[in-house]
Amino acid sequence: MKSSHGPARVSAAFDEPNLIAHAGLVPVVRLAERCGLPALVAEKVKLTGARYGAGTAAAAKAMSIVGGMIAGADSIDDLDILRHGGLPKLFGGVRAPSTLGTFLRAFTWGHVRQLESVARAFTCNLAAHTGLIPTGDEVVFVDIDSKVKRVYGPAKQGASFGYTKVRGLHFQIVTVKTATCAPVIVATRLRKGSAGSGKGAASLLREALATVRAMGITAQIVVRADSAYFSHKVVAACRAARARFSLAVAVTKTIRAAIETIDPEAWMPIEYTNAIWDPDEERWISDAEIAEIPFTAFTSKKKQIHTIARLIVRRVKRLNPKTVPEGQSELFAVWRHHVIFTDSRFVLAQAEPMHREHAAVEQVFADLEDSALAHLPSGKFTANAAWLTLAATAYNLTRAAGHLASTFHARARTGTIRRHLINIPARVATGARRLTLHLPERWRWADDFTDLWITTGQQTPT
């Protein structure tokens, strides 16, 4: 690519009132309205008595924030992208960033909980309306994880130093996915930066599992998590919801003793990094092996808390023997061990790789930080908690738009969906009491955009 004209022959002027930069907002906002997001906010979020009128028109303000996030805004000032060119001809009730900042700062923790209730109900409506989560799949995976979001400046409420050794705020998310769909966020919670990863996990998980069931999902649920969530409270929350669990476990003295009881003949090679399939012996030749034994967890607690399930162990040959902790036996000098505690019905060869797919939640973190969660923009903790909830709502709405557009976009990153389907330039034309969006010729994803446009009830663009 190269310039086709010299700089003296090209000029630029911001003088066209009918151009817009985000034509994809039209069907996506329509989808949000069809699934009841404005009505739910108006019904549930009551900022009664908030100063400076911050509590008025909560639905319009929440929709302005979500719309801005879908278009790529990652701070309060960025929400001004909704007030350019011809967008006022397409949307009413868009609020200025200063008004939206005042709205967020008016939130108390009770108001955040109201907004979380809105998000859960909206996600259920979205799933029912779009088929975002297939209800016919036999197994549904619920993943819980947390991340420290780095912030700058000690004035940020709740910001402190945790296990990452950086100042931040610590948020949890719970996602639901199946083997045939991308993850959808069903619960979020913001905590102070020094909070442990597993703090409050059981209560958040109970809310998430209730939301999954409210979606009409009757399939077997398997809850997956890393070792920070290995606790009797998490297991109890799973069993109360008739869900099964697959939890990573730290290799403690008790776990090491259990591993040493595994029969040497019980280990079986698996497909892993650099594994080779031997067709003659019909087995993998690999540096990784798996085995399982029965195990009773939480034996240091009272008897009714004791939990009997399977301990699945993956061992991988150490490349550097110097990394062996002092005092370990010969078994641990040769192998690194990764342990899962599970009551799933999967056989050993399925259960271990199934748990490794929990890593998909990291892609959700990446998507959030590539958009609205690039920053936690307010100095007030509850404002940031509300921002997190709205960011999850925008993520799910973007994900639903991709699902309606094409098979590719159903599993694409939300950043890809924004570039292909949301941030499309257009010219707004009026005539015969109707609006027409003139979109670019030869847009690579025009067919996918048209599918989204029609599915959300719009007339075919011309």
Side-chain angles (χ1 to χ4, degrees), residues 26-39 63 91 122 397:
V26 176
V28 176
V29 170
R30 182 74 69 189
L31 177 60
E33 292 170 343
R34 283 188 160 198
C35 295
L37 181 56
M63 286 295 294
F91 304 108
F122 174 68
L397 195 49

Side-chain angles (χ1 to χ4, degrees), residues 258 261-263 266-268 289-295 309-314 340 342 344 346-351:
T261 66
I262 296 175
D263 185 344
W267 295 98
M268 56 181 285
E289 300 174 339
I290 55 174
E292 67 173 287
I293 53 172
F295 184 75
R310 297 186 292 161
L311 205 65
I312 294 177
V313 184
R314 179 178 81 250
I340 305 162
T342 182
S344 74
F346 291 97
V347 298
L348 174 61
Q350 296 172 321

Side-chain angles (χ1 to χ4, degrees), residues 151-279:
V151 299
Y152 300 89
K156 188 89 72 172
Q157 281 186 351
S160 54
F161 294 89
Y163 70 94
T164 60
K165 310 300 183 185
V166 299
R167 179 184 285 112
L169 291 167
H170 199 171
F171 67 95
Q172 288 174 330
I173 66 169
V174 185
T175 66
V176 58
K177 73 178 297 292
T178 72
T180 58
C181 75
V184 173
I185 300 173
V186 290
T188 61
R189 183 168 296 167
L190 186 67
R191 294 96 45 76
K192 63 181 182 179
S194 59
S197 295
K199 181 178 176 60
S203 63
L204 185 66
L205 192 57
R206 281 192 291 270
E207 292 178 4
L209 292 172
T211 302
V212 172
R213 290 303 186 196
M215 291 178 179
I217 293 173
T218 57
Q220 177 64 67
I221 295 174
V222 178
V223 175
R224 302 182 294 195
D226 61 29
S227 59
Y229 299 90
F230 176 66
S231 75
H232 69 277
K233 293 181 180 179
V234 168
V235 169
C238 293
R239 292 194 161 173
R242 303 188 309 281
R244 297 185 178 273
F245 56 84
S246 181
L247 309 175
V249 184
V251 182
T252 62
K253 182 177 180 180
T254 302
I255 297 299
R256 286 197 297 270
I259 293 172
E260 289 179 333
T261 66
I262 296 175
D263 185 344
E265 299 299 321
W267 295 98
M268 56 181 285
I270 59 171
E271 182 180 5
Y272 203 66
T273 305
N274 300 325
I276 299 173
W277 176 254
D278 188 328

Side-chain angles (χ1 to χ4, degrees), residues 32-50:
E33 292 170 343
R34 283 188 160 198
C35 295
L37 181 56
L40 286 167
V41 174
E43 175 192 348
K44 293 176 179 285
V45 179
K46 305 294 184 182
L47 279 72
T48 307

Side-chain angles (χ1 to χ4, degrees), residues 115-158:
L115 191 60
E116 289 174 349
S117 176
V118 168
R120 291 193 295 270
F122 174 68
T123 301
C124 291
N125 292 348
L126 200 62
H129 188 80
T130 64
L132 190 56
I133 304 295
T135 56
D137 286 6
E138 294 183 358
V139 180
V140 171
F141 300 104
V142 171
D143 296 303
I144 181 170
D145 209 343
S146 68
K147 185 176 182 66
V148 175
K149 179 61 186 175
R150 187 170 190 171
V151 299
Y152 300 89
K156 188 89 72 172
Q157 281 186 351

